[in-house]
Amino acid sequence: MQRKICDNKCKGMGIRWNLFAFLALFVAFILAVVWIFQVLLLGKFYENSKMKELKLTASVIESNVEKNNLEHTAYTLSGDYTICIILYEIEDGRAREIISCDASSGCMIHHMSPRSFSQLYNETIANGGEFTKTYSFDAFITKGEIKGESLNTVYTKSFKDSDGKLYALFLDSELAPVSAIVRTYSVQFQWIAMILIIGALILSLFMSRVISTPIIKLNKSVKKLAAGDYDEVFDGKGYREIKELSDALNFASSELSKNDNLQKELIANISHDLRTPLTMIRGYSEMMRDIPGENTPENAQIVIEETTRLSELVGDMLDLSKIKAGTRKPDMEIFNMTETIRATMLRYEKLTEKDGYHISFESDSEGYIFADRTMMLQVVYNLINNAINYSGDSKEVNVKLQKIGDNLRFSVSDSGDGIAPEELPFIWDRYYKVDKIHKRATVGTGLGLSIVKSILEAHKAVYGVESTVGVGSTFWFELPMAENQD
Ligand code: ADP
């Protein structure tokens, strides 16, 4: 089924807009995260960190309450964290101030009335010895000199030292007005959002240009290739993947072009091979019908020979396509290969007598293999026929069976013209001819080695050819030897 190639009309977003959409989404995500942390949760984060500082200060003072350097420690902590500290010792219901550090002018505990203090202390006791509350500064103000919208977090704690003396600790940390910071951030945020969106747009345009331009170029070239223009060269400049892709496409294009040529050659060769015997059959039949005295047994023999050749050719084509398609599977059995070859050699004796060929056979022992006997014979026939065909004037062919390790090696050598090294890899292809002028082989059909290759590969055999121009060729294959079951 042929697929339609869309020619600039395919539906869906192009790479440029896709990239922009993704970047815009990413920017929106970043903005959302920044907004949540910088605007929504700023107050909470700030309060939490202040609370941590208060609790840390309280625990340090509690653990140092009996030490001499308590006052120094308290002042250091007060200065470091800007926390106001008042520590009372409670004795017989009376409070005696031990430490008082005033870290900021907005400190609430230093402006509270004794009543408010005792209220706060009572709430601390009621709360289990620890109490925290965030107050607006105005709530406790007694001396009206301090104004502002600030909030204060007051943390109180009552504890005893090792002698059982009771203490009340009051800590106060001024919370800077977060709402003003949030308002500033909100304005800033709008600017950041605008800058980021413009940045994303520019970046996506730039990136899409860098990424998509080579892809768009490759896309155009691929469309030309799909339309059958194998001369198109893919020159992928830019990033590594594009270079790799264009290399792969160049390779695919050259392979496609080779295949295309091979296909054309194949069709030309098949039609040539089919037409030649058909023309002969037709010519001779017409001659025998129309010309008196031409209806001779010799002419009839030519018609029969051409018909045989035609059916051989069609048979070979069918064999090859069946093996390649996997419909003809090897029918495996253990058999005596030496014996089979020996029997086959008898058939070549006639040829030897008639045409002066000298075909020898050597075998060092009886070798059994596990294979399809008919297929193996087809391989052997094809290789011997080729050796005879291409043995040249010497007419010398040598067939050998040898044990090599656990394998049985079959080889056919001829002392013909040999094959040039650059042609060797291609002789196994269908209809490949070293001699480009497509002449009819005396015995072969042009499919022989291709059938040999398919059969040997179906048997997972090792095979090959050694050839020297002017000296001759040796075609061979090896299969593992099997145990004699007889
Ligand atoms: P063909 O019918 O042409 O022999 P094959 O597939 O059997 O077809 O062989 C393919 C090609 O390989 C032949 O055309 C020939 O050029 C080359 N070839 C095969 N066997 C030999 C050989 N023994 N000596 C030289 N060339 C050979």
Side-chain angles (χ1 to χ4, degrees), residues 359-379:
I359 308 168
S360 64
F361 174 56
E362 289 170 41
S363 166
D364 53 11
S365 57
E366 300 296 291
Y368 285 79
I369 55 167
F370 181 60
D372 182 316
R373 191 200 292 253
T374 319
M375 284 189 176
M376 279 303 126
L377 273 178
Q378 211 171 346
V379 169

Side-chain angles (χ1 to χ4, degrees), residues 273 309 382-391 412-414 416-419 423 426-435 438-452 465 467 472-475:
D273 273 1
R309 185 174 158 65
N382 269 300
L383 293 181
I384 298 180
N385 285 349
N386 272 354
I388 291 171
N389 259 350
Y390 301 101
S391 65
V412 192
S413 309
D414 64 67
D417 290 343
I419 308 160
E423 305 282 355
F426 306 108
I427 56 170
W428 308 92
D429 295 344
R430 271 188 294 185
Y431 277 107
Y432 187 84
K433 294 263 159 193
V434 172
D435 180 0
H438 186 72
K439 61 174 188 203
R440 291 174 72 207
T442 334
V443 188
T445 56
L447 294 169
L449 286 185
S450 190
I451 293 174
V452 167
V465 53
S467 189
S473 318
T474 300
F475 284 79

Side-chain angles (χ1 to χ4, degrees), residues 138-177:
D138 300 334
F140 277 90
I141 203 135
T142 50
K143 305 166 192 171
E145 67 263 34
I146 293 164
K147 288 260 180 278
E149 54 174 313
S150 66
L151 288 175
N152 284 48
T153 295
V154 174
Y155 176 73
T156 56
K157 193 171 186 184
S158 86
F159 58 88
K160 286 181 179 164
D161 67 7
S162 57
D163 300 332
K165 255 190 231 163
L166 188 61
Y167 295 91
L169 176 66
F170 295 84
L171 302 179
D172 179 348
S173 178
E174 195 181 348
L175 294 176

Side-chain angles (χ1 to χ4, degrees), residues 337 367 369 401-402 406-410 477-479 481:
M337 180 72 162
I369 55 167
L401 262 182
Q402 295 160 278
D406 292 337
N407 285 354
L408 189 66
R409 182 187 174 104
F410 170 88
F477 70 86
E478 278 180 30
L479 274 170
M481 284 206 290

